[in-house]
Amino acid sequence: QVQLAESGGGLVQTGGSLRLSCAASGQSGYRMAWFRQGPGKEREFVATISRNGGTRDYSDSLKGRFTISRDNAKNVVYLSMNSLTPEDTAVYYCAASTMPSARTWTSRASYAYWGQGTQVTVSS
């Protein structure tokens, strides 16, 4: 079993920045991702990172403002978010997969393990 715990959410003003963390239990090396779910919206893909951190992919709408990274020695994945707007208000979820491959890493269905989420609220 993989357990994930997000942290780092909070209230920030428009234009501000936050860095979310996701601590994973067990051995390192999972494919990891961040998703988010805004009020009244479906959960959407944000970013994903390969096991060794060499490959990263982002939602087109967030590319350039968000950065995913990982520290395998600490079993932690990060999401750095800049130039935040109220549209970024959401619960942010960390996800993990132990599978070596998937049809697409941008789909929720590709991840078997999920954290409880951390709330990010951006005020105008």
Side-chain angles (χ1 to χ4, degrees):
Q1 287 289 335
V2 177
Q3 293 186 328
L4 305 172
E6 303 96 335
S7 61
L11 176 65
V12 63
Q13 292 185 334
T14 294
S17 300
L18 278 177
R19 189 178 79 158
L20 307 181
S21 300
C22 173
S25 66
Q27 60 184 359
S28 62
Y30 310 120
R31 161 67 68 153
M32 303 290 291
W34 287 95
F35 287 75
R36 69 182 185 181
Q37 187 165 13
K41 299 180 180 179
E42 292 190 357
R43 194 170 300 188
E44 64 174 352
F45 168 74
V46 174
T48 184
I49 188 167
S50 61
R51 293 166 179 250
N52 64 5
T55 303
R56 310 177 194 192
D57 194 13
Y58 298 90
S59 167
D60 287 342
S61 64
L62 302 175
K63 200 174 297 184
R65 293 195 301 121
F66 288 19
T67 302
I68 190 170
S69 60
R70 68 189 300 161
D71 184 338
N72 282 345
K74 297 180 180 179
N75 276 3
V76 179
V77 173
Y78 304 99
L79 183 68
S80 297
M81 306 182 294
N82 298 314
S83 302
L84 289 164
T85 74
E87 287 67 40
D88 295 314
T89 294
V91 178
Y92 284 72
Y93 296 91
C94 178
S97 172
T98 57
M99 301 303 290
S101 63
R103 185 177 65 84
T104 173
W105 290 116
T106 65
S107 170
R108 291 178 293 173
S110 298
Y111 300 90
Y113 304 99
W114 293 84
Q116 293 298 309
T118 185
Q119 176 71 48
V120 172
T121 302
V122 185
S123 63
S124 57

